[in-house]
């Protein structure tokens, strides 16, 4: 697994181990922390193998497959993911996200690796013409280099598999992953000021930030704030276990399968804040601020295809997810004080 010490990666390691898989993580720790391995071990009792290396380095990727000849499948989480930063540093995004993918695709057939699960995003749909969004919705022109890397990555995978490469892929389009493992041993570790809503919200609730800004209340939505499909990160992680199994056990219906991973329910920013306050009893000071440039007004998933074909469903209630995010924030606070 590339990027296995990151937010979604670490939760997926736990689910894979609990399903009986052995996991090797390759990560350059550019946006994660080695101590995540301790958190994983405390949950599952198993320390995953770890290789500190950068997947944009082809020699490092080759070395990994030589050292671990048993690798049968890859989940590729290693990518830069901050929309704003990608506007400032486009080459960093194209280099990291695309070279990593191309190196893996190149090496896989030589080392008998059957398939790759790829982390894509609902960002490929842009501002959708209708909600909920199915996998057939048109791909809209990307509004950031980050979003463009997801679109190009999907195309690269498609072209490589169509060229006859003996590999399979499951492309997972995530909606908005939030929350943390219920044990509070692992969660999202934002670097600096969080750009995403939930880490900013929990830091505000903890008093680290004075005020959460709600970016816009004049959108064409019932309460005027933007709507997203917030999916619990453990539910999301579980879908990867099923995706890996499909590829390794030849259950896929086609060499490339694409699934939306969302709950099917849209929540506005104000509704999410209310859910957090209701679930935790903690108030979140917030104010209405200007719209954030580039934001989508509303997007939520039609997860029917994933529900039916994968036999998977995002089932954690949002209140539980908010409690898990808060427990993780408190765990981080306790670490900081220790
Ligand atoms: C963004 C990207 C998405 C990417 C994801 C992961 C876009 C359109 N989408 O999702 O492709 O995969 O980040 O990093 O860029 N909000 C506030 N106040 C805040 C922060 C956020 O009101 O302080 C609002 C936003 O306006 C938005 C919602 O909360 O309506 C969710 O924002 P965020 O968590 O940043 O995720 P997205 O922008 O949906």
């Amino acid at each position: 697994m590339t990027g296995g010490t990151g937010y979604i990666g670490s939760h997926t390691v736990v689910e894979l181990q609990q399903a009986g898989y052995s996991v090797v993580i390759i990560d350059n720790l550019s946006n994660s922390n080695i101590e995540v391995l301790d958190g994983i071990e405390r949950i599952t009792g198993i320390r995953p193998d770890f290789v500190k290396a950068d997947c944009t380095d082809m020699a490092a990727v080759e070395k990994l497959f030589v050292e671990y000849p048993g690798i049968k499948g890859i989940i590729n989480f290693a990518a830069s993911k901050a929309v704003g930063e990608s506007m400032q540093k486009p080459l960093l995004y194209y280099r990291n996200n695309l070279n990593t993918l191309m190196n893996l695709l190149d090496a896989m057939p030589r080392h008998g690796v059957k398939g790759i699960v790829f982390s894509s995003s609902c960002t490929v749909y842009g501002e959708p013409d209708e909600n909920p969004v199915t996998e057939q919705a048109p791909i809209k022109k990307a509004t950031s280099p980050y979003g463009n890397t997801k679109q190009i990555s999907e195309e690269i995978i498609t072209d490589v598999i169509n060229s006859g490469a003996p590999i399979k892929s499951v492309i997972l389009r995530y909606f908005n992953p939030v929350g943390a493992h219920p044990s509070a041993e692992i969660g999202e570790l934002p670097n600096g000021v969080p750009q995403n809503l939930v880490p900013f919200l929990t830091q505000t609730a903890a008093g680290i930030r004075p005020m959460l800004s709600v970016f816009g209340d004049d959108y064409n939505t019932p309460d005027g704030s933007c709507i997203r499909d917030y999916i619990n990160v453990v539910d999301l992680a579980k879908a990867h276990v099923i995706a890996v199994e499909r590829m390794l056990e030849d259950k896929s219906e086609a060499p490339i399968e694409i699934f939306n991973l969302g709950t099917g329910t849209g929540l506005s920013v104000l509704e999410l804040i209310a859910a957090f306050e209701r679930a935790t009893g903690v108030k979140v000071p917030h104010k209405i601020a200007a719209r954030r440039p580039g934001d989508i007004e509303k997007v939520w998933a039609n997860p029917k295809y994933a529900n039916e074909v994968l036999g998977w469903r995002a089932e954690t209630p949002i209140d539980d997810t908010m409690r898990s995010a808060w427990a993780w924030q408190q765990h981080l606070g306790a670490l900081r004080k220790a």
Side-chain angles (χ1 to χ4, degrees):
M1 177 188 299
T2 75
T5 49
Y7 174 44
I8 306 172
S10 57
H11 289 81
T12 304
V13 174
V14 166
E15 296 307 314
L16 283 166
Q17 289 180 331
Q18 290 179 336
Y21 289 94
S22 307
V23 183
V24 184
I25 296 174
I26 179 166
D27 201 307
N28 65 1
L29 298 176
S30 63
N31 192 26
S32 61
N33 193 313
I34 190 74
E35 279 142 33
V36 169
L37 299 180
D38 301 332
I40 293 171
E41 189 176 359
R42 279 194 294 270
I43 298 170
T44 65
I46 306 163
R47 197 170 185 85
D49 281 356
F50 177 78
V51 175
K52 182 173 185 298
D54 192 322
C55 294
T56 62
D57 173 0
M58 188 68 201
V61 170
E62 284 289 343
K63 189 160 167 264
L64 174 83
F65 287 122
V66 171
E67 273 172 21
Y68 291 93
I71 295 177
K72 288 284 167 278
I74 296 176
I75 308 183
N76 179 29
F77 290 111
S80 302
K81 63 160 189 178
V83 175
E85 185 190 44
S86 80
M87 306 277 206
Q88 309 301 321
K89 301 176 184 166
L91 287 176
L92 175 77
Y93 275 68
Y94 289 113
R95 194 172 286 131
N96 276 351
N97 297 5
L98 302 183
N99 285 348
T100 292
L101 176 66
M102 290 191 289
N103 286 346
L104 294 170
L105 290 170
D106 190 354
M108 285 169 69
R110 279 196 297 283
H111 298 281
V113 183
K114 288 180 87 165
I116 180 164
V117 179
F118 180 73
S119 305
S120 190
S121 165
C122 69
T123 193
V124 301
Y125 301 120
E127 182 78 60
D129 301 327
E130 48 187 292
N131 281 296
V133 182
T134 70
E135 290 81 357
Q136 279 70 47
I139 302 296
K140 298 274 179 72
K141 187 173 165 36
T143 53
S144 70
Y146 159 77
N148 209 17
T149 66
K150 293 298 174 191
Q151 296 192 2
I152 297 171
S153 294
E154 291 197 4
E155 289 173 357
I156 291 174
I157 292 169
T158 307
D159 288 345
V160 168
I161 291 183
N162 287 344
S163 76
I167 56 174
K168 290 181 182 162
S169 183
V170 177
I171 293 173
L172 302 175
R173 292 179 179 156
Y174 310 153
F175 282 67
N176 286 57
V178 295
H181 195 269
S183 64
E185 293 287 359
I186 53 173
E188 190 169 8
L189 268 179
N191 245 342
V193 182
Q195 304 300 311
N196 293 114
L197 177 60
V198 171
F200 202 104
L201 185 159
T202 59
Q203 289 194 4
T204 308
I208 299 168
R209 316 259 161 223
M211 185 80 73
L212 168 69
S213 292
V214 175
F215 296 143
D217 71 344
D218 55 353
Y219 285 101
N220 181 23
T221 61
D223 66 22
S225 62
C226 292
I227 297 180
R228 297 287 184 276
D229 186 334
Y230 295 97
I231 173 170
N232 180 281
V233 67
V234 176
D235 288 345
L236 186 71
K238 287 179 176 158
H240 294 75
V241 180
I242 301 171
V244 164
E245 196 181 283
R246 284 179 81 71
M247 295 187 316
L248 300 191
E249 295 179 11
D250 296 315
K251 292 182 191 158
S252 311
E253 288 168 2
I256 306 170
E257 294 184 310
I258 301 183
F259 298 99
N260 281 346
L261 297 183
T263 67
T265 302
L267 279 187
S268 73
V269 176
L270 291 170
E271 284 172 331
L272 193 80
I273 296 170
F276 179 89
E277 293 184 336
R278 181 175 68 227
T280 63
V282 180
K283 289 283 167 215
V284 183
H286 59 278
K287 60 166 194 239
I288 306 299
R291 290 183 177 198
R292 181 171 69 175
D295 257 340
I296 301 299
E297 181 171 274
K298 45 181 179 264
V299 59
W300 66 94
N302 181 336
K304 194 161 172 259
Y305 185 57
N307 296 163
E308 287 175 357
V309 176
L310 299 180
W312 163 93
R313 191 171 293 277
E315 46 203 11
T316 308
I318 190 70
D319 286 30
D320 291 357
T321 303
M322 290 294 105
R323 271 191 288 273
S324 73
W326 181 229
W328 169 245
Q329 179 66 54
Q330 289 173 304
H331 174 89
L332 285 177
L335 285 183
R336 216 168 275 127
K337 284 195 198 98

